[in-house]
Amino acid sequence: MAPKKGVKKQTSKPDIPTGPRPSEILDIPESEQRRLIQQSELFKNAASLTAPELDRGPEADSAKAATLGDEIFNLFLLIIPFGSLLLMMDILIHQQYTQTPTFKGEVSRMTEMLPIFAILIFYTPPDRYKHLAFYQAFLFLISLSAGGRLIWVVNKSNYLRVMRQTPALATVWVYAVWELNLAAAVASLVLVGGWVWYTGLKMVF
């Protein structure tokens, strides 16, 4: 028999397994999502990359600790002019007493005095402690002591002690005044000058 017209033949479709919808997959509580992210390696890597940037502040960016090589280089930059001043003062004080300085004698005296002065410069760098009040007070006392002692030795001691002590005292005095702030340096010089005037000592000899 011929099939009847107008009647559609029903075909059976294979059963396709259906899983959860995308909205159901992503439907995870927020607390659970946070816990999963924290436990993942991705979170650890991101934290390790961003932690230095979070810890970095304006002071950490601007202030960098000087290495030992930089400090030694700065030491040489200062020891050259002040060592030259020390040598010049030693030569001048010998000329003052008509003593002819010899090369061997100058080398011997510089070998004795320069290491001590280098240690002083190395442990008192101007860019590290100059802004501190206690350091300025320390330099102020050094300036008063060195200046007063220098003038006292020149006026009251014999020529042997003058030749032995005045080069180092003069160099330390100049270094202390150079390290001081302007107001403190002027104040120390005024006090030394006032003490010299009060005691009747002479500034020159």
Side-chain angles (χ1 to χ4, degrees):
M1 294 178 63
K4 296 181 180 180
K5 295 181 179 180
V7 178
K8 295 182 179 180
K9 186 178 181 180
Q10 295 181 355
T11 59
S12 60
K13 296 181 179 180
D15 295 335
I16 300 174
T18 59
R21 291 175 297 175
S23 60
E24 295 178 353
I25 295 176
L26 299 177
D27 191 11
I28 302 175
E30 185 178 354
S31 59
E32 185 67 16
Q33 293 179 14
R34 189 179 298 109
R35 185 183 65 82
L36 294 175
I37 293 175
Q38 290 178 353
Q39 291 179 353
S40 64
E41 290 295 328
L42 180 61
F43 177 82
K44 293 180 181 179
N45 295 334
S48 63
L49 291 175
T50 57
E53 297 180 359
L54 294 175
D55 295 335
R56 186 184 305 166
E59 296 180 358
D61 292 335
S62 59
K64 296 181 180 178
T67 61
L68 180 61
D70 294 334
E71 293 182 355
I72 294 176
F73 179 73
N74 294 332
L75 170 64
F76 277 101
L77 289 180
L78 292 177
I79 201 65
I80 291 174
F82 285 104
S84 301
L85 175 63
L86 182 64
L87 178 62
M88 182 187 69
M89 293 300 298
D90 190 74
I91 294 174
L92 290 178
I93 199 64
H94 279 77
Q95 292 291 334
Q96 179 69 26
Y97 291 102
T98 64
Q99 300 288 326
T100 303
T102 62
F103 178 78
K104 183 178 179 180
E106 292 300 326
V107 170
S108 176
R109 283 186 289 272
M110 291 300 106
T111 305
E112 294 176 359
M113 292 185 288
L114 270 183
I116 299 175
F117 198 70
I119 293 174
L120 174 65
I121 295 177
F122 183 79
Y123 285 103
T124 58
D127 57 344
R128 184 184 301 176
Y129 306 116
K130 191 170 184 177
H131 63 284
L132 300 178
F134 80 91
Y135 182 64
Q136 289 292 310
F138 171 73
L139 288 176
F140 188 80
L141 294 177
I142 291 293
S143 175
L144 294 179
S145 301
R149 176 65 181 175
L150 173 65
I151 297 173
W152 178 266
V153 168
V154 167
N155 284 268
K156 299 295 184 179
S157 299
N158 56 55
Y159 78 98
L160 292 176
R161 181 174 294 178
V162 171
M163 288 192 297
R164 186 168 60 250
Q165 294 187 7
T166 51
L169 287 172
T171 306
V172 171
W173 190 15
V174 172
Y175 178 75
V177 172
W178 175 74
E179 281 266 41
L180 283 170
N181 294 329
L182 180 59
V186 173
S188 68
L189 294 176
V190 169
L191 288 176
V192 172
W195 175 76
V196 171
W197 173 81
Y198 179 77
T199 55
L201 299 176
K202 297 179 180 179
M203 296 287 292
V204 295
F205 59 98

